[in-house]
Amino acid sequence: MPHVGSSAKRADDPRLLTGRGRYVDDVTLPRMVHVALVRSPHAHARIVGVDVTDARRAPGVTCVLVGGDTARLCKPYRGILEHYQGMKTGAMLPLATDRVRYVGEPVAAVAAETRAQAEDGAERVVARYEPLRPVLSPDAALASDAPLIHDELADNVIYATQLGTGDVDAAIAHAHRTYRRTFTVGRHTGVPLEARGLVADFDPATRALTVWISTQVPHMMQAVLADLFGLPEHRVRVIAPDVGGSFGIKIHVYQDDLAAVALALTLGRPVKFVATRRESFLSDIHAREQTVAVEVAAAADGTLLAMRGAITAAVGPYSAFPRSSVVEGGQVLRLLPGPYRLRDYRASLRVVAQNKVITSQYRAVGHPIATAVTESMLDLIARDLGLDPADVRRKNLLRADDLPYTSATGNVYDSGSFQESFERLLEVAKYAELRHEQAAARAAGRHVGIGLACFLELTGPGAQFYGIGGAPISGQEGTTVRLEPSGTVTALTGVTNQGQGTPTALAQIIADELGVALEAINVIAGDTAMVPYGGGTWASRGMPIGGSATLLAARALADKIKRVAAVLLEAHADDIELAHGRAGVRGTDHGLGLRELARAVHFRSNELRGLEPSVDATVHYTNPNPWTFTNGAHLAVVDLDVETGRVRLLRYVTVDDCGRVVNPALVAGQIMGGVTQGLGGALMEHCAYDEAGQLLTTTLMDYAVPKASDVPAIECHHLETPAPNLAGGFKGAGEAGTTGAPAAVLNAVNDALAPLGAMITEQPITAERVLRALGRLGGR
């Protein structure tokens, strides 16, 4: 049973007002305690025992929980999406009970008066293990003698599927050329500036739980916490203040977060957990670890005829909850054809468990992998056939008269500027001049490469992504816009702020519709007790879904204001216009300020002559289609040092089409940040493990992220092709940079290597891999 430290004041003290430590004379409130986790040092082991006796005696320690304690408070949970038929995974609990399955899995949680005391208490926990053979690669997981990561499952395959259309075998058999390569993409993670953290406060008297948490998805967390801990959902309040970066890392449910909530339920007092940077590397979801074996067929003129592939996605021992760990592999499966005319396509996917940190959705989910593979194969075709890589893309890219286009995998591209974006890229980058400069540099002994990449970005999905799979993840978004008595405007939205500037963009939409100054608008987000129900921030849905909901809510409020103004000004509503914070009769100087109008509604409703005294509007909106696609084209120029293997990025140019642009500066910020993250994944970021399953990169001294000196000034350009089926014409922009950068850089490096007869198909493109490709290092 959990140990709870005794209180200095008796529970029957007559001064006690509540069961939570509040007294009449000193108004003592329950003091917040801090959490430290005891984590497994083994990748795979049976738990023989966890002795917490000494930890419970440690100074300041108020409670220690082990696996059995949290199992009595929290239901087991599995990250399964029902529309992925045949998917399976083991169940998770906040703290491991019988077996640990990755280094860093929590086995005990210690609460104390200070974080230092909690850490000291955790040091006194004695956990004893019986090590088991870890499964650390897909080949090992699929071997006939592989240890089962979950005994109740028949094997270590979480999910397998295949997808195909057309006659791939015939197209390949009759092609002018066929090309085969196997690509591997290394594991990496998001490294947000602000680590995950929460404060959970439980009131036993009302069974009300309030959680302040660094999350992208407050309503999802509300539903999950209520369900897992058996609490009434309306008694669970989740508040996500402004979050210091997330990149998909904070859309998941983590064991340590649930352990902290379990402590709050046990203690009935506020509990705080903030992950250290080392804990973040050991517990934040990882992503990307995939191998893609691909074969493409081409005609003599470079026309892409067919593609087949086999994708192996190596994930963790569990499928992430509730979004699962199969989506990234599924995205690669469906996105490999890219923005090209391709009808004959067949590919398979296997998602395989292993004893490493859980992997799941991270910025651009699968897009960078699929794009890098397909774009590399196009460059390979061009080199073999003696064609310019730009001409091969021109020949195969979708044209305006192809739209709407249904891809070989069933994706519908209802709009886009595929050819136009690419031609714009070649123009602004001065591609022809770059090739001349490259020739001169090569003549001087330098190894300069130019890489191109065209891509799609899936944005603004509706219920078809998660909701139909049974996950409590909303595909719709709600916005309330309200005119206050002061004449200012309050907007309540379910889209959370992760540092991407969404409140500014939403305020701009409202300001345009209501004719008010930007500074007169206050956007509130992230509090389930205040804002309309919504899905939060993920999959670049902030503007396509949240922006559209806000636009329609602002228009609905504008209509109400006009009807009120018509009554007060004795005019027709159709003649009222809103501008400069006033409602006026068109063509006259007859009008009134919004403050005066709002005060009439709120305080003198008798003047409205039966009109509803309301100056607020709420709209919920969802994508009428499964999702909407952004597109773009990127160019990278690199200088390769063949003596050291170092890749130096000289230039990076982007052209992105994210539909109607509300704030160009915010879009540019998203593109630049995304490109930088993509460059990190392409060139340096890697969660490296040893043969025992120990994560070797648990500090920023070991895990390399891009520095300012690694990234040149990114040249951003935009086209606008409004989404025809979304209210505002908006498309997402949050993941385009991360999608295009690895492909552009990989192609640039291989362009530099091509005269030397070398090609790299592994990421990250480290100096070691460059030298090995050149035959200057032995081994793999």
Side-chain angles (χ1 to χ4, degrees):
M1 291 296 291
H3 171 82
V4 180
S6 60
S7 172
K9 294 187 171 74
R10 292 172 51 193
D12 60 351
D13 191 316
R15 295 173 296 159
L16 188 63
L17 293 181
T18 74
R20 311 189 65 230
R22 184 185 296 275
Y23 288 81
V24 172
D25 56 357
D26 57 8
V27 196
T28 300
L29 295 173
R31 292 186 59 187
M32 182 167 68
V33 294
H34 300 260
V35 179
L37 280 301
V38 179
R39 298 179 182 273
S40 168
H42 299 284
H44 197 194
R46 286 192 181 89
I47 299 174
V48 176
V50 181
D51 186 351
V52 299
T53 305
D54 195 28
R56 287 171 172 167
R57 298 193 188 107
V61 170
T62 60
C63 185
V64 181
L65 298 181
V66 295
D69 302 323
T70 56
R72 285 185 283 273
L73 293 169
C74 177
K75 296 193 310 189
Y77 52 96
R78 300 172 190 263
I80 291 178
L81 295 173
E82 295 168 2
H83 58 304
Y84 286 84
Q85 295 182 5
M87 184 185 172
K88 62 183 187 291
T89 187
M92 280 185 280
L93 285 165
L95 301 173
T97 54
D98 60 340
R99 196 190 296 192
V100 290
R101 294 177 171 88
Y102 64 94
V103 172
E105 183 166 13
V107 297
V110 179
E113 299 295 336
T114 68
R115 177 64 183 255
Q117 289 174 328
E119 297 284 359
D120 289 344
E123 288 289 331
R124 299 190 185 195
V125 173
V126 179
R128 292 180 295 117
Y129 303 92
E130 177 189 330
L132 301 171
R133 179 157 61 102
V135 177
L136 300 174
S137 70
D139 288 343
L142 296 170
S144 59
D145 63 343
L148 289 178
I149 295 176
H150 297 278
D151 291 338
E152 70 273 21
L153 304 180
D155 53 37
N156 294 320
V157 177
I158 288 178
Y159 178 67
T161 191
Q162 56 185 1
L163 181 66
T165 186
D167 193 340
V168 176
D169 294 338
I172 288 177
H174 295 95
H176 176 70
R177 289 276 197 280
T178 61
Y179 307 86
R180 293 181 182 179
R181 289 293 186 276
T182 297
F183 295 83
T184 60
V185 179
R187 207 176 240 258
H188 48 281
T189 187
V191 199
L193 185 64
E194 174 191 82
R196 290 185 298 106
L198 63 81
V199 173
D201 188 12
F202 180 66
D203 184 347
T206 60
R207 290 187 59 76
L209 173 68
T210 303
V211 180
W212 292 263
I213 184 170
S214 181
T215 184
Q216 301 167 234
V217 284
H219 281 108
M220 185 201 85
M221 290 303 301
Q222 177 191 39
V224 165
L225 293 174
D227 178 51
L228 294 185
F229 288 101
L231 299 171
E233 190 166 324
H234 69 285
R235 293 292 188 188
V236 178
R237 180 182 183 185
V238 175
I239 302 168
D242 288 353
V243 173
S246 53
F247 317 120
I249 298 300
K250 298 172 183 175
I251 59 174
H252 307 284
V253 175
Y254 289 92
Q255 290 170 283
D256 44 26
D257 289 340
L258 297 181
V261 171
L263 282 165
L265 295 175
T266 302
L267 290 169
R269 60 194 291 190
V271 170
K272 180 179 182 178
F273 168 70
V274 177
T276 65
R277 184 58 65 188
R278 181 174 186 275
E279 285 182 301
S280 293
F281 281 117
L282 285 170
S283 59
D284 287 0
I285 61 103
H286 295 175
R288 304 284 198 260
E289 185 177 353
Q290 292 192 20
T291 301
V292 183
V294 65
E295 181 178 14
V296 298
D301 64 355
T303 300
L304 189 62
L305 300 177
M307 176 186 290
R308 60 185 172 197
I311 305 153
T312 303
V315 298
Y318 309 99
S319 176
F321 183 79
R323 293 171 188 264
S324 90
S325 296
V326 305
V327 172
E328 182 156 61
Q331 291 279 71
V332 176
L333 181 69
R334 289 167 176 78
L335 291 170
L336 273 175
Y340 301 107
R341 295 186 302 278
L342 177 69
R343 289 302 182 192
D344 295 308
Y345 173 77
R346 184 172 70 243
S348 63
L349 167 67
R350 290 183 303 182
V351 180
V352 182
Q354 57 182 343
N355 293 115
K356 296 180 181 178
V357 172
I358 297 167
T359 73
S360 193
Q361 284 76 295
Y362 161 59
R363 192 175 194 174
V365 193
H367 292 67
I369 301 170
T371 303
V373 169
T374 301
E375 294 300 303
S376 293
M377 296 306 287
L378 287 176
D379 270 24
L380 183 59
I381 292 170
R383 280 195 295 273
D384 180 62
L385 298 178
L387 302 172
D388 191 304
D391 291 334
V392 172
R393 287 170 175 79
R394 285 185 176 114
K395 183 168 289 293
N396 290 285
L397 276 168
L398 291 169
R399 299 178 294 260
D401 57 7
D402 293 323
L403 304 178
Y405 179 84
T406 301
S407 77
T409 62
N411 286 328
V412 178
Y413 311 141
D414 59 6
S415 62
S417 57
F418 307 101
Q419 293 276 356
E420 295 83 358
S421 292
F422 186 58
E423 293 299 335
R424 176 69 171 151
L425 175 74
L426 301 179
E427 175 191 354
V428 296
K430 298 182 179 178
Y431 179 73
E433 292 182 24
L434 281 177
R435 287 296 182 189
H436 289 303
E437 292 170 7
Q438 179 188 40
R442 286 179 171 177
R446 292 171 58 199
H447 301 274
V448 173
I450 300 169
L452 298 168
C454 299
F455 61 87
L456 298 156
E457 179 198 351
L458 185 156
T459 74
Q464 294 88 338
F465 222 71
Y466 294 114
I468 62 172
I473 301 166
S474 180
Q476 61 83 42
E477 201 57 67
T479 300
T480 296
V481 184
R482 182 173 66 227
L483 182 63
E484 306 290 0
S486 62
T488 59
V489 176
T490 298
L492 308 170
T493 178
V495 178
T496 54
N497 184 26
Q498 314 293 311
Q500 74 275 49
T502 298
T504 299
L506 297 181
Q508 286 181 261
I509 292 171
I510 295 166
D512 285 349
E513 294 297 322
L514 299 184
V516 299
L518 199 62
E519 57 268 21
I521 302 169
N522 182 33
V523 178
I524 297 173
D527 187 340
T528 60
M530 295 182 65
V531 305
Y533 205 96
T537 298
W538 48 275
S540 298
R541 68 189 298 277
M543 294 311 296
I545 312 301
S548 294
T550 300
L551 175 69
L552 296 178
R555 286 177 177 173
L557 176 57
D559 184 62
K560 283 190 173 184
I561 291 172
K562 289 176 181 179
R563 283 187 275 124
V564 170
V567 171
L568 296 177
L569 297 173
E570 298 183 336
H572 195 281
D574 292 344
D575 294 328
I576 302 297
E577 59 183 5
L578 305 179
H580 309 299
R582 291 176 55 79
V585 180
R586 186 177 292 105
T588 74
D589 58 2
H590 188 39
L592 73 167
L594 293 186
R595 180 179 184 275
E596 183 182 353
L597 181 146
R599 291 178 69 83
V601 171
H602 286 286
F603 308 134
R604 304 189 307 277
S605 54
N606 59 298
E607 298 178 7
L608 301 185
R609 305 173 197 168
L611 191 66
E612 178 188 4
S614 167
V615 277
D616 61 66
T618 298
V619 169
H620 288 262
Y621 186 82
T622 191
N623 194 332
N625 296 324
W627 36 71
T628 297
F629 283 92
T630 290
N631 70 273
H634 289 189
L635 178 145
V637 182
V638 302
D639 193 342
L640 190 67
D641 187 329
V642 297
E643 298 300 322
T644 65
R646 182 171 183 263
V647 177
R648 184 163 64 99
L649 188 63
L650 302 178
R651 191 176 176 201
Y652 201 93
V653 187
T654 74
V655 175
D656 293 279
D657 186 341
C658 62
R660 180 184 172 197
V661 174
V662 174
N663 186 311
L666 292 179
V667 172
Q670 285 293 293
I671 300 300
M672 292 177 186
V675 166
T676 302
Q677 259 182 317
L679 295 175
L683 295 171
M684 60 192 73
E685 295 188 43
H686 186 211
C687 298
Y689 284 82
D690 69 10
E691 65 280 357
Q694 294 290 332
L695 182 62
L696 303 177
T697 48
T698 59
T699 75
L700 290 172
M701 294 292 289
D702 309 303
Y703 184 95
V705 295
K707 305 183 297 294
S709 57
D710 296 321
V711 184
I714 298 170
E715 305 165 43
C716 294
H717 304 270
H718 305 289
L719 296 181
E720 295 189 41
T721 305
N725 297 308
L726 294 179
F730 314 121
K731 300 178 183 179
E735 295 162 296
T738 313
T739 296
V745 170
L746 180 59
N747 279 343
V749 169
N750 281 328
D751 188 47
L753 289 172
L756 304 173
M759 180 178 180
I760 287 177
T761 58
E762 295 176 290
Q763 294 182 58
I765 310 165
T766 60
E768 178 185 5
R769 283 176 170 161
V770 171
L771 293 176
R772 186 169 289 121
L774 291 169
R776 302 190 179 191
L777 288 178
R780 174 172 166 75

